[in-house]
mmCIF file of all heavy atoms in Angstrom:
data_model
loop_
_atom_site.group_PDB
_atom_site.id
_atom_site.type_symbol
_atom_site.label_atom_id
_atom_site.label_comp_id
_atom_site.label_asym_id
_atom_site.label_seq_id
_atom_site.Cartn_x
_atom_site.Cartn_y
_atom_site.Cartn_z
ATOM 1 N N ARG O 23 2.531 0.243 -13.247
ATOM 2 C CA ARG O 23 2.655 -0.835 -14.179
ATOM 3 C C ARG O 23 1.271 -1.617 -14.248
ATOM 4 O O ARG O 23 0.920 -2.063 -15.331
ATOM 5 C CB ARG O 23 3.731 -1.705 -13.728
ATOM 6 C CG ARG O 23 5.139 -1.081 -13.863
ATOM 7 C CD ARG O 23 6.231 -1.959 -13.448
ATOM 8 N NE ARG O 23 6.378 -3.196 -14.328
ATOM 9 C CZ ARG O 23 7.198 -4.161 -14.042
ATOM 10 N NH1 ARG O 23 8.013 -4.134 -12.926
ATOM 11 N NH2 ARG O 23 7.202 -5.191 -14.819
ATOM 12 N N ALA O 24 0.651 -1.745 -13.134
ATOM 13 C CA ALA O 24 -0.639 -2.412 -13.083
ATOM 14 C C ALA O 24 -1.704 -1.653 -14.005
ATOM 15 O O ALA O 24 -2.447 -2.206 -14.773
ATOM 16 C CB ALA O 24 -1.194 -2.600 -11.691
ATOM 17 N N ASP O 25 -1.692 -0.416 -13.765
ATOM 18 C CA ASP O 25 -2.631 0.531 -14.651
ATOM 19 C C ASP O 25 -2.276 0.438 -16.148
ATOM 20 O O ASP O 25 -3.124 0.418 -17.016
ATOM 21 C CB ASP O 25 -2.582 1.899 -14.188
ATOM 22 C CG ASP O 25 -3.123 2.087 -12.772
ATOM 23 O OD1 ASP O 25 -3.931 1.116 -12.298
ATOM 24 O OD2 ASP O 25 -3.047 3.103 -12.147
ATOM 25 N N LEU O 26 -0.963 0.405 -16.397
ATOM 26 C CA LEU O 26 -0.552 0.259 -17.859
ATOM 27 C C LEU O 26 -1.039 -1.094 -18.379
ATOM 28 O O LEU O 26 -1.375 -1.197 -19.647
ATOM 29 C CB LEU O 26 0.926 0.469 -18.023
ATOM 30 C CG LEU O 26 1.448 1.871 -17.724
ATOM 31 C CD1 LEU O 26 2.943 1.897 -17.689
ATOM 32 C CD2 LEU O 26 0.837 2.818 -18.714
ATOM 33 N N ALA O 27 -1.070 -2.108 -17.512
ATOM 34 C CA ALA O 27 -1.553 -3.379 -18.023
ATOM 35 C C ALA O 27 -3.029 -3.382 -18.349
ATOM 36 O O ALA O 27 -3.568 -4.038 -19.232
ATOM 37 C CB ALA O 27 -1.181 -4.449 -16.939
ATOM 38 N N VAL O 28 -3.725 -2.608 -17.396
ATOM 39 C CA VAL O 28 -5.167 -2.391 -17.668
ATOM 40 C C VAL O 28 -5.385 -1.758 -19.042
ATOM 41 O O VAL O 28 -6.158 -2.133 -19.901
ATOM 42 C CB VAL O 28 -5.807 -1.568 -16.538
ATOM 43 C CG1 VAL O 28 -7.234 -1.152 -17.005
ATOM 44 C CG2 VAL O 28 -5.914 -2.322 -15.283
ATOM 45 N N LEU O 29 -4.671 -0.730 -19.348
ATOM 46 C CA LEU O 29 -4.668 -0.002 -20.600
ATOM 47 C C LEU O 29 -4.362 -0.755 -21.835
ATOM 48 O O LEU O 29 -4.898 -0.638 -22.895
ATOM 49 C CB LEU O 29 -3.906 1.233 -20.576
ATOM 50 C CG LEU O 29 -4.389 2.371 -19.668
ATOM 51 C CD1 LEU O 29 -3.287 3.421 -19.521
ATOM 52 C CD2 LEU O 29 -5.639 3.023 -20.253
ATOM 53 N N ALA O 30 -3.441 -1.784 -21.588
ATOM 54 C CA ALA O 30 -3.070 -2.652 -22.645
ATOM 55 C C ALA O 30 -4.071 -3.615 -23.095
ATOM 56 O O ALA O 30 -4.000 -4.304 -24.171
ATOM 57 C CB ALA O 30 -1.750 -3.402 -22.281
ATOM 58 N N GLY O 31 -5.129 -3.798 -22.266
ATOM 59 C CA GLY O 31 -6.264 -4.586 -22.662
ATOM 60 C C GLY O 31 -6.166 -6.036 -21.981
ATOM 61 O O GLY O 31 -5.284 -6.367 -21.245
ATOM 62 N N PRO O 32 -7.303 -6.825 -22.327
ATOM 63 C CA PRO O 32 -8.361 -6.541 -23.274
ATOM 64 C C PRO O 32 -9.459 -5.666 -22.588
ATOM 65 O O PRO O 32 -9.523 -5.513 -21.411
ATOM 66 C CB PRO O 32 -8.975 -7.951 -23.447
ATOM 67 C CG PRO O 32 -8.643 -8.613 -22.188
ATOM 68 C CD PRO O 32 -7.388 -8.126 -21.744
ATOM 69 N N TRP O 33 -10.282 -5.016 -23.471
ATOM 70 C CA TRP O 33 -11.327 -4.104 -23.057
ATOM 71 C C TRP O 33 -12.694 -4.691 -23.494
ATOM 72 O O TRP O 33 -12.741 -5.469 -24.511
ATOM 73 C CB TRP O 33 -11.143 -2.741 -23.648
ATOM 74 C CG TRP O 33 -10.094 -2.008 -22.799
ATOM 75 C CD1 TRP O 33 -8.777 -2.312 -22.806
ATOM 76 C CD2 TRP O 33 -10.339 -0.863 -21.897
ATOM 77 N NE1 TRP O 33 -8.114 -1.435 -21.859
ATOM 78 C CE2 TRP O 33 -9.000 -0.606 -21.379
ATOM 79 C CE3 TRP O 33 -11.427 -0.150 -21.526
ATOM 80 C CZ2 TRP O 33 -8.821 0.454 -20.423
ATOM 81 C CZ3 TRP O 33 -11.259 0.895 -20.665
ATOM 82 C CH2 TRP O 33 -9.968 1.136 -20.158
ATOM 83 N N PRO O 34 -13.770 -4.304 -22.947
ATOM 84 C CA PRO O 34 -15.121 -4.798 -23.328
ATOM 85 C C PRO O 34 -15.407 -4.459 -24.810
ATOM 86 O O PRO O 34 -14.868 -3.474 -25.328
ATOM 87 C CB PRO O 34 -16.070 -4.093 -22.386
ATOM 88 C CG PRO O 34 -15.295 -3.663 -21.233
ATOM 89 C CD PRO O 34 -13.880 -3.393 -21.763
ATOM 90 N N GLU O 35 -16.201 -5.346 -25.431
ATOM 91 C CA GLU O 35 -16.513 -5.246 -26.819
ATOM 92 C C GLU O 35 -17.727 -4.192 -27.083
ATOM 93 O O GLU O 35 -17.998 -3.906 -28.227
ATOM 94 C CB GLU O 35 -16.871 -6.531 -27.442
ATOM 95 C CG GLU O 35 -15.666 -7.428 -27.499
ATOM 96 C CD GLU O 35 -14.557 -7.022 -28.324
ATOM 97 O OE1 GLU O 35 -14.870 -6.359 -29.401
ATOM 98 O OE2 GLU O 35 -13.402 -7.205 -27.950
ATOM 99 N N ASP O 36 -18.401 -3.888 -26.056
ATOM 100 C CA ASP O 36 -19.605 -2.943 -26.139
ATOM 101 C C ASP O 36 -19.132 -1.604 -26.723
ATOM 102 O O ASP O 36 -18.316 -0.894 -26.099
ATOM 103 C CB ASP O 36 -20.283 -2.756 -24.787
ATOM 104 C CG ASP O 36 -21.458 -1.890 -24.851
ATOM 105 O OD1 ASP O 36 -21.874 -1.364 -25.957
ATOM 106 O OD2 ASP O 36 -22.217 -1.742 -23.856
ATOM 107 N N THR O 37 -19.617 -1.280 -27.883
ATOM 108 C CA THR O 37 -19.198 0.020 -28.561
ATOM 109 C C THR O 37 -20.370 0.916 -28.771
ATOM 110 O O THR O 37 -20.365 1.941 -29.500
ATOM 111 C CB THR O 37 -18.477 -0.269 -29.894
ATOM 112 O OG1 THR O 37 -19.417 -0.993 -30.726
ATOM 113 C CG2 THR O 37 -17.228 -0.997 -29.791
ATOM 114 N N GLU O 38 -21.570 0.589 -28.084
ATOM 115 C CA GLU O 38 -22.758 1.496 -28.207
ATOM 116 C C GLU O 38 -22.432 2.941 -27.666
ATOM 117 O O GLU O 38 -21.787 2.947 -26.520
ATOM 118 C CB GLU O 38 -23.878 0.891 -27.600
ATOM 119 C CG GLU O 38 -24.436 -0.274 -28.185
ATOM 120 C CD GLU O 38 -25.060 0.092 -29.470
ATOM 121 O OE1 GLU O 38 -25.742 1.136 -29.600
ATOM 122 O OE2 GLU O 38 -24.827 -0.590 -30.531
ATOM 123 N N PRO O 39 -22.700 4.008 -28.263
ATOM 124 C CA PRO O 39 -22.435 5.293 -27.747
ATOM 125 C C PRO O 39 -23.107 5.440 -26.281
ATOM 126 O O PRO O 39 -24.078 4.828 -25.969
ATOM 127 C CB PRO O 39 -23.152 6.238 -28.769
ATOM 128 C CG PRO O 39 -23.214 5.478 -30.015
ATOM 129 C CD PRO O 39 -23.356 4.028 -29.594
ATOM 130 N N LEU O 40 -22.519 6.336 -25.531
ATOM 131 C CA LEU O 40 -23.011 6.520 -24.151
ATOM 132 C C LEU O 40 -24.325 7.238 -24.112
ATOM 133 O O LEU O 40 -25.110 7.043 -23.163
ATOM 134 C CB LEU O 40 -21.984 7.362 -23.373
ATOM 135 C CG LEU O 40 -20.530 6.690 -23.280
ATOM 136 C CD1 LEU O 40 -19.593 7.669 -22.581
ATOM 137 C CD2 LEU O 40 -20.627 5.418 -22.526
ATOM 138 N N ASP O 41 -24.664 8.095 -25.094
ATOM 139 C CA ASP O 41 -25.936 8.654 -25.208
ATOM 140 C C ASP O 41 -26.238 9.581 -23.991
ATOM 141 O O ASP O 41 -27.236 9.646 -23.508
ATOM 142 C CB ASP O 41 -27.037 7.612 -25.407
ATOM 143 C CG ASP O 41 -28.375 8.318 -25.810
ATOM 144 O OD1 ASP O 41 -28.261 9.287 -26.648
ATOM 145 O OD2 ASP O 41 -29.420 7.859 -25.430
ATOM 146 N N CYS O 42 -25.151 10.354 -23.674
ATOM 147 C CA CYS O 42 -25.264 11.372 -22.591
ATOM 148 C C CYS O 42 -24.475 12.563 -23.079
ATOM 149 O O CYS O 42 -23.627 12.463 -23.954
ATOM 150 C CB CYS O 42 -24.827 10.912 -21.243
ATOM 151 S SG CYS O 42 -23.061 10.590 -21.152
ATOM 152 N N PRO O 43 -24.627 13.748 -22.508
ATOM 153 C CA PRO O 43 -23.743 14.831 -22.811
ATOM 154 C C PRO O 43 -22.294 14.538 -22.523
ATOM 155 O O PRO O 43 -22.041 13.814 -21.522
ATOM 156 C CB PRO O 43 -24.266 15.999 -21.912
ATOM 157 C CG PRO O 43 -25.641 15.687 -21.552
ATOM 158 C CD PRO O 43 -25.713 14.105 -21.495
ATOM 159 N N VAL O 44 -21.332 14.985 -23.401
ATOM 160 C CA VAL O 44 -19.919 14.687 -23.152
ATOM 161 C C VAL O 44 -19.190 16.075 -23.313
ATOM 162 O O VAL O 44 -19.495 16.781 -24.306
ATOM 163 C CB VAL O 44 -19.403 13.661 -24.250
ATOM 164 C CG1 VAL O 44 -17.974 13.514 -24.146
ATOM 165 C CG2 VAL O 44 -20.080 12.329 -24.111
ATOM 166 N N ARG O 45 -18.249 16.252 -22.411
ATOM 167 C CA ARG O 45 -17.364 17.377 -22.453
ATOM 168 C C ARG O 45 -15.938 16.903 -22.466
ATOM 169 O O ARG O 45 -15.620 15.922 -21.728
ATOM 170 C CB ARG O 45 -17.597 18.325 -21.283
ATOM 171 C CG ARG O 45 -18.982 18.989 -21.321
ATOM 172 C CD ARG O 45 -19.079 19.973 -22.478
ATOM 173 N NE ARG O 45 -20.423 20.623 -22.450
ATOM 174 C CZ ARG O 45 -21.483 20.225 -23.073
ATOM 175 N NH1 ARG O 45 -21.462 19.077 -23.725
ATOM 176 N NH2 ARG O 45 -22.613 20.868 -22.997
ATOM 177 N N VAL O 46 -15.108 17.393 -23.300
ATOM 178 C CA VAL O 46 -13.722 16.958 -23.365
ATOM 179 C C VAL O 46 -12.877 18.082 -22.910
ATOM 180 O O VAL O 46 -13.014 19.270 -23.364
ATOM 181 C CB VAL O 46 -13.326 16.548 -24.763
ATOM 182 C CG1 VAL O 46 -11.821 16.217 -24.807
ATOM 183 C CG2 VAL O 46 -14.092 15.267 -25.258
ATOM 184 N N TYR O 47 -11.952 17.913 -21.877
ATOM 185 C CA TYR O 47 -11.025 18.931 -21.461
ATOM 186 C C TYR O 47 -9.643 18.530 -21.899
ATOM 187 O O TYR O 47 -9.190 17.382 -21.673
ATOM 188 C CB TYR O 47 -11.040 19.008 -19.957
ATOM 189 C CG TYR O 47 -12.354 19.533 -19.201
ATOM 190 C CD1 TYR O 47 -12.393 19.562 -17.880
ATOM 191 C CD2 TYR O 47 -13.432 19.887 -20.044
ATOM 192 C CE1 TYR O 47 -13.556 20.102 -17.290
ATOM 193 C CE2 TYR O 47 -14.606 20.341 -19.516
ATOM 194 C CZ TYR O 47 -14.697 20.449 -18.096
ATOM 195 O OH TYR O 47 -15.917 20.950 -17.579
ATOM 196 N N LEU O 48 -8.918 19.512 -22.494
ATOM 197 C CA LEU O 48 -7.539 19.174 -22.966
ATOM 198 C C LEU O 48 -6.594 20.157 -22.556
ATOM 199 O O LEU O 48 -6.917 21.365 -22.455
ATOM 200 C CB LEU O 48 -7.622 19.229 -24.497
ATOM 201 C CG LEU O 48 -8.371 18.144 -25.278
ATOM 202 C CD1 LEU O 48 -8.386 18.433 -26.778
ATOM 203 C CD2 LEU O 48 -7.912 16.715 -24.874
ATOM 204 N N GLY O 49 -5.345 19.817 -22.304
ATOM 205 C CA GLY O 49 -4.282 20.804 -22.070
ATOM 206 C C GLY O 49 -3.674 21.213 -23.551
ATOM 207 O O GLY O 49 -3.353 20.286 -24.281
ATOM 208 N N ASP O 50 -3.489 22.437 -23.771
ATOM 209 C CA ASP O 50 -3.127 22.844 -25.166
ATOM 210 C C ASP O 50 -1.689 22.436 -25.470
ATOM 211 O O ASP O 50 -1.324 22.537 -26.576
ATOM 212 C CB ASP O 50 -3.393 24.320 -25.345
ATOM 213 C CG ASP O 50 -2.606 25.259 -24.374
ATOM 214 O OD1 ASP O 50 -1.717 24.786 -23.661
ATOM 215 O OD2 ASP O 50 -2.767 26.441 -24.415
ATOM 216 N N SER O 51 -0.849 22.116 -24.404
ATOM 217 C CA SER O 51 0.512 21.700 -24.707
ATOM 218 C C SER O 51 0.647 20.076 -24.386
ATOM 219 O O SER O 51 1.874 19.714 -24.216
ATOM 220 C CB SER O 51 1.597 22.464 -23.853
ATOM 221 O OG SER O 51 1.178 22.441 -22.522
ATOM 222 N N ASP O 52 -0.456 19.492 -24.286
ATOM 223 C CA ASP O 52 -0.386 17.998 -24.041
ATOM 224 C C ASP O 52 0.051 17.289 -25.277
ATOM 225 O O ASP O 52 -0.877 17.224 -26.249
ATOM 226 C CB ASP O 52 -1.679 17.510 -23.469
ATOM 227 C CG ASP O 52 -1.696 15.976 -23.119
ATOM 228 O OD1 ASP O 52 -0.624 15.283 -23.454
ATOM 229 O OD2 ASP O 52 -2.653 15.542 -22.541
ATOM 230 N N THR O 53 1.170 16.760 -25.442
ATOM 231 C CA THR O 53 1.602 16.163 -26.727
ATOM 232 C C THR O 53 1.097 14.689 -26.904
ATOM 233 O O THR O 53 1.152 14.189 -27.945
ATOM 234 C CB THR O 53 3.191 16.060 -26.753
ATOM 235 O OG1 THR O 53 3.639 15.328 -25.605
ATOM 236 C CG2 THR O 53 3.805 17.472 -26.664
ATOM 237 N N GLY O 54 0.474 14.199 -25.885
ATOM 238 C CA GLY O 54 -0.038 12.879 -25.935
ATOM 239 C C GLY O 54 -1.364 12.726 -26.446
ATOM 240 O O GLY O 54 -1.893 11.632 -26.813
ATOM 241 N N VAL O 55 -2.209 13.875 -26.601
ATOM 242 C CA VAL O 55 -3.602 13.849 -26.994
ATOM 243 C C VAL O 55 -3.748 14.985 -28.019
ATOM 244 O O VAL O 55 -3.733 16.138 -27.589
ATOM 245 C CB VAL O 55 -4.639 13.980 -25.820
ATOM 246 C CG1 VAL O 55 -6.000 13.848 -26.366
ATOM 247 C CG2 VAL O 55 -4.248 12.942 -24.752
#
């Protein structure tokens, strides 16, 4: 519940791209993403 509160915000306003290589890993049956 504490982590869900973190996800609910607020979050920092900095939206500058990270400017580093990025890899995304996904589960092919993950219905949440």
Side-chain angles (χ1 to χ4, degrees):
R23 292 178 67 186
D25 290 347
L26 291 171
V28 169
L29 287 167
W33 283 69
E35 295 297 326
D36 183 356
T37 57
E38 288 296 316
L40 299 175
D41 198 30
C42 68
V44 174
R45 297 293 181 269
V46 175
Y47 293 178
L48 296 177
D50 60 8
S51 58
D52 183 354
T53 58
V55 185

